[in-house]
Amino acid sequence: RNVDVMLAAGVKVTALFGPEHGIAGTQDQPTVADSRDQATGLPVFSLYANSRFRLTPEMLRGVDMLVFDIQDVGVRFFTYNCTMLFAMEAAAKANLPFYVLDRPDPITGLHVEGPMLDPDLQGITGCFNLPVRHGLTPGELATMGNAERKWNADLHVIKMQSWERGNWFDSTGLPWVDPSPNMRSLNAATLYPGLALIESSKNYSVGRGTDAPFEQIGAEWVHGVELAEFLNARYIPGVRVYPTHLNAKT
């Protein structure tokens, strides 16, 4: 883990901060509690606990810099974006350096698609005026957010080597590590901007609880065969739709 590498290199780590799915990216629940890392004994402060999404002054006691190193999926409503921006804002207020260890946008940095965020709908699933598929790396988003919000944070982006904007994640040679319990493949990440855009709709499933979340949808009012025939008749390049039957929790 990155924390183990930092400790082995002699970095004094005083606290860990976890996003929506915890520091291991494995928790899938409405709220994540504070805890303690079993391997190191370090306190783990949750930034997804009972609508508490921001760092508090108490969390930052004994901290002299913050490091963000989390894989994003290139989509506005994936909450890690706002976890990073909220943390950088807190670092700016506390006059702490903020380091972003940049990572690839897995669905490329070339494709920018979808509607912009309505200003009155800002929250943990959207805190910056971006399209759904934003085409930015975490470091680029941090740089833009710091400039446009005029936080004047002491931001340091540790850039990647050899990444090009047109690269999909599978062309990087890096292993896929699930950034969240249901984001299990590049295929899921590619479909996620569209399938999950209307996930809050009543009685609509994006496949959570199945073996292929974000790769299939379901609802009692959907006629799978007819829908597949309709979509396939549009001949969307590279896309083929198949009817299926879901037995999963929505």
mmCIF file of all heavy atoms in Angstrom, residues 43-77:
data_model
loop_
_atom_site.group_PDB
_atom_site.id
_atom_site.type_symbol
_atom_site.label_atom_id
_atom_site.label_comp_id
_atom_site.label_asym_id
_atom_site.label_seq_id
_atom_site.Cartn_x
_atom_site.Cartn_y
_atom_site.Cartn_z
ATOM 1 N N PRO A 43 -4.595 6.290 13.030
ATOM 2 C CA PRO A 43 -6.023 6.603 12.978
ATOM 3 C C PRO A 43 -6.473 6.814 11.539
ATOM 4 O O PRO A 43 -5.728 7.372 10.725
ATOM 5 C CB PRO A 43 -6.122 7.906 13.785
ATOM 6 C CG PRO A 43 -4.767 8.528 13.678
ATOM 7 C CD PRO A 43 -3.790 7.377 13.622
ATOM 8 N N VAL A 44 -7.661 6.333 11.224
ATOM 9 C CA VAL A 44 -8.244 6.506 9.902
ATOM 10 C C VAL A 44 -9.495 7.363 10.058
ATOM 11 O O VAL A 44 -10.485 6.931 10.653
ATOM 12 C CB VAL A 44 -8.610 5.159 9.248
ATOM 13 C CG1 VAL A 44 -9.211 5.398 7.857
ATOM 14 C CG2 VAL A 44 -7.382 4.263 9.147
ATOM 15 N N PHE A 45 -9.439 8.581 9.551
ATOM 16 C CA PHE A 45 -10.586 9.482 9.614
ATOM 17 C C PHE A 45 -11.401 9.324 8.335
ATOM 18 O O PHE A 45 -10.873 9.431 7.230
ATOM 19 C CB PHE A 45 -10.130 10.931 9.763
ATOM 20 C CG PHE A 45 -9.418 11.208 11.060
ATOM 21 C CD1 PHE A 45 -8.049 11.401 11.083
ATOM 22 C CD2 PHE A 45 -10.121 11.270 12.253
ATOM 23 C CE1 PHE A 45 -7.380 11.654 12.275
ATOM 24 C CE2 PHE A 45 -9.468 11.521 13.451
ATOM 25 C CZ PHE A 45 -8.097 11.716 13.468
ATOM 26 N N SER A 46 -12.676 9.072 8.507
ATOM 27 C CA SER A 46 -13.553 8.911 7.347
ATOM 28 C C SER A 46 -14.001 10.260 6.822
ATOM 29 O O SER A 46 -14.401 11.140 7.589
ATOM 30 C CB SER A 46 -14.777 8.076 7.730
ATOM 31 O OG SER A 46 -15.708 8.052 6.662
ATOM 32 N N LEU A 47 -13.944 10.425 5.504
ATOM 33 C CA LEU A 47 -14.480 11.609 4.846
ATOM 34 C C LEU A 47 -15.776 11.259 4.134
ATOM 35 O O LEU A 47 -16.153 11.892 3.147
ATOM 36 C CB LEU A 47 -13.444 12.182 3.871
ATOM 37 C CG LEU A 47 -12.125 12.603 4.523
ATOM 38 C CD1 LEU A 47 -11.158 13.158 3.484
ATOM 39 C CD2 LEU A 47 -12.352 13.622 5.636
ATOM 40 N N TYR A 48 -16.448 10.243 4.673
ATOM 41 C CA TYR A 48 -17.757 9.830 4.170
ATOM 42 C C TYR A 48 -18.536 9.248 5.344
ATOM 43 O O TYR A 48 -18.987 8.113 5.326
ATOM 44 C CB TYR A 48 -17.604 8.800 3.049
ATOM 45 C CG TYR A 48 -18.809 8.686 2.141
ATOM 46 C CD1 TYR A 48 -18.991 9.568 1.073
ATOM 47 C CD2 TYR A 48 -19.769 7.701 2.331
ATOM 48 C CE1 TYR A 48 -20.095 9.471 0.248
ATOM 49 C CE2 TYR A 48 -20.867 7.592 1.496
ATOM 50 C CZ TYR A 48 -21.030 8.481 0.466
ATOM 51 O OH TYR A 48 -22.129 8.370 -0.363
ATOM 52 N N ALA A 49 -18.691 10.069 6.377
ATOM 53 C CA ALA A 49 -19.307 9.601 7.617
ATOM 54 C C ALA A 49 -20.492 10.478 7.989
ATOM 55 O O ALA A 49 -20.312 11.639 8.384
ATOM 56 C CB ALA A 49 -18.286 9.595 8.748
ATOM 57 N N ASN A 50 -21.710 9.934 7.847
ATOM 58 C CA ASN A 50 -22.916 10.655 8.268
ATOM 59 C C ASN A 50 -22.949 12.089 7.732
ATOM 60 O O ASN A 50 -23.134 13.052 8.481
ATOM 61 C CB ASN A 50 -23.024 10.660 9.792
ATOM 62 C CG ASN A 50 -23.178 9.266 10.364
ATOM 63 O OD1 ASN A 50 -23.916 8.452 9.820
ATOM 64 N ND2 ASN A 50 -22.467 8.972 11.439
ATOM 65 N N SER A 51 -22.749 12.212 6.409
ATOM 66 C CA SER A 51 -22.762 13.509 5.716
ATOM 67 C C SER A 51 -21.602 14.415 6.117
ATOM 68 O O SER A 51 -21.630 15.615 5.838
ATOM 69 C CB SER A 51 -24.095 14.240 5.939
ATOM 70 O OG SER A 51 -25.177 13.472 5.432
ATOM 71 N N ARG A 52 -20.579 13.874 6.746
ATOM 72 C CA ARG A 52 -19.354 14.630 7.014
ATOM 73 C C ARG A 52 -18.355 14.276 5.932
ATOM 74 O O ARG A 52 -17.788 13.195 5.916
ATOM 75 C CB ARG A 52 -18.790 14.270 8.397
ATOM 76 C CG ARG A 52 -17.547 15.106 8.791
ATOM 77 C CD ARG A 52 -16.859 14.508 9.998
ATOM 78 N NE ARG A 52 -16.207 13.243 9.675
ATOM 79 C CZ ARG A 52 -15.732 12.398 10.581
ATOM 80 N NH1 ARG A 52 -15.857 12.647 11.862
ATOM 81 N NH2 ARG A 52 -15.134 11.263 10.202
ATOM 82 N N PHE A 53 -18.143 15.216 5.015
ATOM 83 C CA PHE A 53 -17.298 14.958 3.859
ATOM 84 C C PHE A 53 -16.012 15.794 3.865
ATOM 85 O O PHE A 53 -15.230 15.708 2.925
ATOM 86 C CB PHE A 53 -18.068 15.264 2.575
ATOM 87 C CG PHE A 53 -19.385 14.525 2.466
ATOM 88 C CD1 PHE A 53 -20.556 15.209 2.204
ATOM 89 C CD2 PHE A 53 -19.446 13.153 2.640
ATOM 90 C CE1 PHE A 53 -21.772 14.550 2.106
ATOM 91 C CE2 PHE A 53 -20.650 12.471 2.543
ATOM 92 C CZ PHE A 53 -21.823 13.169 2.275
ATOM 93 N N ARG A 54 -15.821 16.574 4.898
ATOM 94 C CA ARG A 54 -14.690 17.505 4.914
ATOM 95 C C ARG A 54 -13.776 17.255 6.109
ATOM 96 O O ARG A 54 -14.204 16.763 7.158
ATOM 97 C CB ARG A 54 -15.194 18.954 4.947
ATOM 98 C CG ARG A 54 -15.986 19.359 3.697
ATOM 99 C CD ARG A 54 -16.566 20.760 3.861
ATOM 100 N NE ARG A 54 -17.318 21.183 2.692
ATOM 101 C CZ ARG A 54 -16.814 21.850 1.659
ATOM 102 N NH1 ARG A 54 -15.513 22.163 1.663
ATOM 103 N NH2 ARG A 54 -17.567 22.203 0.645
ATOM 104 N N LEU A 55 -12.532 17.627 5.931
ATOM 105 C CA LEU A 55 -11.568 17.572 7.019
ATOM 106 C C LEU A 55 -11.919 18.617 8.076
ATOM 107 O O LEU A 55 -12.347 19.733 7.751
ATOM 108 C CB LEU A 55 -10.158 17.847 6.488
ATOM 109 C CG LEU A 55 -9.554 16.784 5.565
ATOM 110 C CD1 LEU A 55 -8.429 17.382 4.737
ATOM 111 C CD2 LEU A 55 -9.048 15.611 6.373
ATOM 112 N N THR A 56 -11.738 18.258 9.316
ATOM 113 C CA THR A 56 -11.956 19.197 10.415
ATOM 114 C C THR A 56 -10.602 19.607 11.005
ATOM 115 O O THR A 56 -9.597 18.901 10.829
ATOM 116 C CB THR A 56 -12.806 18.549 11.517
ATOM 117 O OG1 THR A 56 -12.065 17.452 12.100
ATOM 118 C CG2 THR A 56 -14.126 18.038 10.945
ATOM 119 N N PRO A 57 -10.539 20.735 11.731
ATOM 120 C CA PRO A 57 -9.270 21.136 12.365
ATOM 121 C C PRO A 57 -8.717 20.054 13.291
ATOM 122 O O PRO A 57 -7.489 19.877 13.380
ATOM 123 C CB PRO A 57 -9.659 22.400 13.134
ATOM 124 C CG PRO A 57 -10.816 22.965 12.365
ATOM 125 C CD PRO A 57 -11.581 21.771 11.894
ATOM 126 N N GLU A 58 -9.601 19.319 13.967
ATOM 127 C CA GLU A 58 -9.133 18.262 14.861
ATOM 128 C C GLU A 58 -8.406 17.166 14.093
ATOM 129 O O GLU A 58 -7.410 16.607 14.576
ATOM 130 C CB GLU A 58 -10.317 17.665 15.628
ATOM 131 C CG GLU A 58 -10.956 18.594 16.646
ATOM 132 C CD GLU A 58 -11.811 19.676 16.009
ATOM 133 O OE1 GLU A 58 -12.213 19.494 14.825
ATOM 134 O OE2 GLU A 58 -12.073 20.709 16.669
ATOM 135 N N MET A 59 -8.881 16.847 12.892
ATOM 136 C CA MET A 59 -8.234 15.813 12.082
ATOM 137 C C MET A 59 -6.832 16.217 11.661
ATOM 138 O O MET A 59 -5.977 15.361 11.421
ATOM 139 C CB MET A 59 -9.062 15.526 10.828
ATOM 140 C CG MET A 59 -10.412 14.904 11.064
ATOM 141 S SD MET A 59 -11.250 14.692 9.459
ATOM 142 C CE MET A 59 -12.881 14.168 9.988
ATOM 143 N N LEU A 60 -6.603 17.505 11.546
ATOM 144 C CA LEU A 60 -5.335 18.000 11.002
ATOM 145 C C LEU A 60 -4.286 18.293 12.069
ATOM 146 O O LEU A 60 -3.211 18.800 11.749
ATOM 147 C CB LEU A 60 -5.593 19.268 10.164
ATOM 148 C CG LEU A 60 -6.403 19.038 8.886
ATOM 149 C CD1 LEU A 60 -6.708 20.362 8.194
ATOM 150 C CD2 LEU A 60 -5.667 18.108 7.931
ATOM 151 N N ARG A 61 -4.595 18.003 13.327
ATOM 152 C CA ARG A 61 -3.601 18.216 14.377
ATOM 153 C C ARG A 61 -2.409 17.290 14.158
ATOM 154 O O ARG A 61 -2.549 16.097 13.964
ATOM 155 C CB ARG A 61 -4.231 17.942 15.750
ATOM 156 C CG ARG A 61 -5.202 19.027 16.192
ATOM 157 C CD ARG A 61 -5.856 18.686 17.514
ATOM 158 N NE ARG A 61 -6.821 19.714 17.912
ATOM 159 C CZ ARG A 61 -7.713 19.570 18.892
ATOM 160 N NH1 ARG A 61 -7.739 18.425 19.579
ATOM 161 N NH2 ARG A 61 -8.556 20.536 19.182
ATOM 162 N N GLY A 62 -1.227 17.861 14.174
ATOM 163 C CA GLY A 62 -0.010 17.094 13.964
ATOM 164 C C GLY A 62 0.307 16.817 12.509
ATOM 165 O O GLY A 62 1.285 16.138 12.207
ATOM 166 N N VAL A 63 -0.508 17.335 11.580
ATOM 167 C CA VAL A 63 -0.291 17.128 10.142
ATOM 168 C C VAL A 63 0.395 18.361 9.565
ATOM 169 O O VAL A 63 -0.054 19.490 9.804
ATOM 170 C CB VAL A 63 -1.634 16.879 9.418
ATOM 171 C CG1 VAL A 63 -1.438 16.814 7.913
ATOM 172 C CG2 VAL A 63 -2.284 15.607 9.932
ATOM 173 N N ASP A 64 1.480 18.173 8.814
ATOM 174 C CA ASP A 64 2.135 19.323 8.193
ATOM 175 C C ASP A 64 2.082 19.282 6.672
ATOM 176 O O ASP A 64 2.589 20.192 6.010
ATOM 177 C CB ASP A 64 3.589 19.472 8.680
ATOM 178 C CG ASP A 64 4.424 18.219 8.462
ATOM 179 O OD1 ASP A 64 4.003 17.353 7.668
ATOM 180 O OD2 ASP A 64 5.485 18.108 9.094
ATOM 181 N N MET A 65 1.486 18.245 6.098
ATOM 182 C CA MET A 65 1.186 18.222 4.670
ATOM 183 C C MET A 65 0.160 17.118 4.417
ATOM 184 O O MET A 65 0.019 16.186 5.207
ATOM 185 C CB MET A 65 2.439 17.984 3.821
ATOM 186 C CG MET A 65 3.016 16.588 3.914
ATOM 187 S SD MET A 65 4.321 16.300 2.697
ATOM 188 C CE MET A 65 5.503 17.535 3.185
ATOM 189 N N LEU A 66 -0.566 17.257 3.306
ATOM 190 C CA LEU A 66 -1.551 16.257 2.916
ATOM 191 C C LEU A 66 -1.165 15.680 1.558
ATOM 192 O O LEU A 66 -0.733 16.415 0.661
ATOM 193 C CB LEU A 66 -2.947 16.877 2.825
ATOM 194 C CG LEU A 66 -3.650 17.179 4.154
ATOM 195 C CD1 LEU A 66 -4.876 18.055 3.905
ATOM 196 C CD2 LEU A 66 -4.050 15.891 4.844
ATOM 197 N N VAL A 67 -1.332 14.369 1.407
ATOM 198 C CA VAL A 67 -1.028 13.686 0.152
ATOM 199 C C VAL A 67 -2.287 12.969 -0.330
ATOM 200 O O VAL A 67 -2.885 12.201 0.426
ATOM 201 C CB VAL A 67 0.115 12.665 0.323
ATOM 202 C CG1 VAL A 67 0.378 11.937 -0.997
ATOM 203 C CG2 VAL A 67 1.375 13.343 0.835
ATOM 204 N N PHE A 68 -2.678 13.227 -1.578
ATOM 205 C CA PHE A 68 -3.827 12.556 -2.177
ATOM 206 C C PHE A 68 -3.321 11.590 -3.234
ATOM 207 O O PHE A 68 -2.666 11.988 -4.199
ATOM 208 C CB PHE A 68 -4.772 13.585 -2.819
ATOM 209 C CG PHE A 68 -6.030 12.986 -3.402
ATOM 210 C CD1 PHE A 68 -7.167 12.832 -2.634
ATOM 211 C CD2 PHE A 68 -6.070 12.558 -4.720
ATOM 212 C CE1 PHE A 68 -8.327 12.275 -3.159
ATOM 213 C CE2 PHE A 68 -7.218 11.992 -5.266
ATOM 214 C CZ PHE A 68 -8.349 11.853 -4.481
ATOM 215 N N ASP A 69 -3.638 10.313 -3.065
ATOM 216 C CA ASP A 69 -3.195 9.290 -4.016
ATOM 217 C C ASP A 69 -4.298 8.257 -4.166
ATOM 218 O O ASP A 69 -4.270 7.183 -3.557
ATOM 219 C CB ASP A 69 -1.903 8.631 -3.521
ATOM 220 C CG ASP A 69 -1.362 7.606 -4.514
ATOM 221 O OD1 ASP A 69 -1.769 7.648 -5.689
ATOM 222 O OD2 ASP A 69 -0.540 6.755 -4.110
ATOM 223 N N ILE A 70 -5.318 8.583 -4.952
ATOM 224 C CA ILE A 70 -6.476 7.714 -5.140
ATOM 225 C C ILE A 70 -6.824 7.682 -6.623
ATOM 226 O O ILE A 70 -6.818 8.719 -7.294
ATOM 227 C CB ILE A 70 -7.691 8.213 -4.331
ATOM 228 C CG1 ILE A 70 -7.345 8.302 -2.838
ATOM 229 C CG2 ILE A 70 -8.883 7.293 -4.522
ATOM 230 C CD1 ILE A 70 -8.479 8.837 -1.980
ATOM 231 N N GLN A 71 -7.167 6.502 -7.130
ATOM 232 C CA GLN A 71 -7.546 6.358 -8.529
ATOM 233 C C GLN A 71 -8.980 6.825 -8.752
ATOM 234 O O GLN A 71 -9.915 6.342 -8.124
ATOM 235 C CB GLN A 71 -7.414 4.899 -8.964
ATOM 236 C CG GLN A 71 -7.828 4.645 -10.417
ATOM 237 C CD GLN A 71 -6.945 5.369 -11.419
ATOM 238 O OE1 GLN A 71 -5.727 5.208 -11.403
ATOM 239 N NE2 GLN A 71 -7.557 6.177 -12.273
ATOM 240 N N ASP A 72 -9.159 7.773 -9.667
ATOM 241 C CA ASP A 72 -10.477 8.256 -10.064
ATOM 242 C C ASP A 72 -10.940 7.442 -11.281
ATOM 243 O O ASP A 72 -10.190 6.633 -11.827
ATOM 244 C CB ASP A 72 -10.396 9.745 -10.398
ATOM 245 C CG ASP A 72 -11.733 10.350 -10.751
ATOM 246 O OD1 ASP A 72 -12.731 9.978 -10.104
ATOM 247 O OD2 ASP A 72 -11.792 11.172 -11.680
ATOM 248 N N VAL A 73 -12.192 7.657 -11.723
ATOM 249 C CA VAL A 73 -12.685 6.960 -12.911
ATOM 250 C C VAL A 73 -13.087 7.922 -14.022
ATOM 251 O O VAL A 73 -13.660 7.509 -15.025
ATOM 252 C CB VAL A 73 -13.860 6.022 -12.568
ATOM 253 C CG1 VAL A 73 -13.405 4.950 -11.603
ATOM 254 C CG2 VAL A 73 -15.057 6.771 -12.018
ATOM 255 N N GLY A 74 -12.822 9.228 -13.842
ATOM 256 C CA GLY A 74 -13.071 10.179 -14.925
ATOM 257 C C GLY A 74 -14.502 10.645 -15.063
ATOM 258 O O GLY A 74 -14.886 11.149 -16.128
ATOM 259 N N VAL A 75 -15.299 10.507 -13.987
ATOM 260 C CA VAL A 75 -16.723 10.844 -14.042
ATOM 261 C C VAL A 75 -17.061 11.782 -12.887
ATOM 262 O O VAL A 75 -16.632 11.545 -11.747
ATOM 263 C CB VAL A 75 -17.591 9.573 -13.970
ATOM 264 C CG1 VAL A 75 -19.074 9.924 -14.011
ATOM 265 C CG2 VAL A 75 -17.241 8.642 -15.125
ATOM 266 N N ARG A 76 -17.845 12.813 -13.170
ATOM 267 C CA ARG A 76 -18.116 13.869 -12.193
ATOM 268 C C ARG A 76 -18.706 13.339 -10.896
ATOM 269 O O ARG A 76 -18.333 13.760 -9.808
ATOM 270 C CB ARG A 76 -19.071 14.907 -12.791
ATOM 271 C CG ARG A 76 -19.380 16.079 -11.864
ATOM 272 C CD ARG A 76 -20.397 17.017 -12.476
ATOM 273 N NE ARG A 76 -21.719 16.415 -12.562
ATOM 274 C CZ ARG A 76 -22.573 16.626 -13.570
ATOM 275 N NH1 ARG A 76 -22.222 17.392 -14.577
ATOM 276 N NH2 ARG A 76 -23.763 16.047 -13.577
ATOM 277 N N PHE A 77 -19.657 12.412 -10.970
ATOM 278 C CA PHE A 77 -20.358 12.012 -9.749
ATOM 279 C C PHE A 77 -19.672 10.892 -8.981
ATOM 280 O O PHE A 77 -20.198 10.416 -7.979
ATOM 281 C CB PHE A 77 -21.824 11.637 -10.043
ATOM 282 C CG PHE A 77 -22.047 10.775 -11.249
ATOM 283 C CD1 PHE A 77 -21.743 9.431 -11.237
ATOM 284 C CD2 PHE A 77 -22.589 11.307 -12.408
ATOM 285 C CE1 PHE A 77 -21.962 8.634 -12.337
ATOM 286 C CE2 PHE A 77 -22.821 10.521 -13.528
ATOM 287 C CZ PHE A 77 -22.510 9.168 -13.491
#
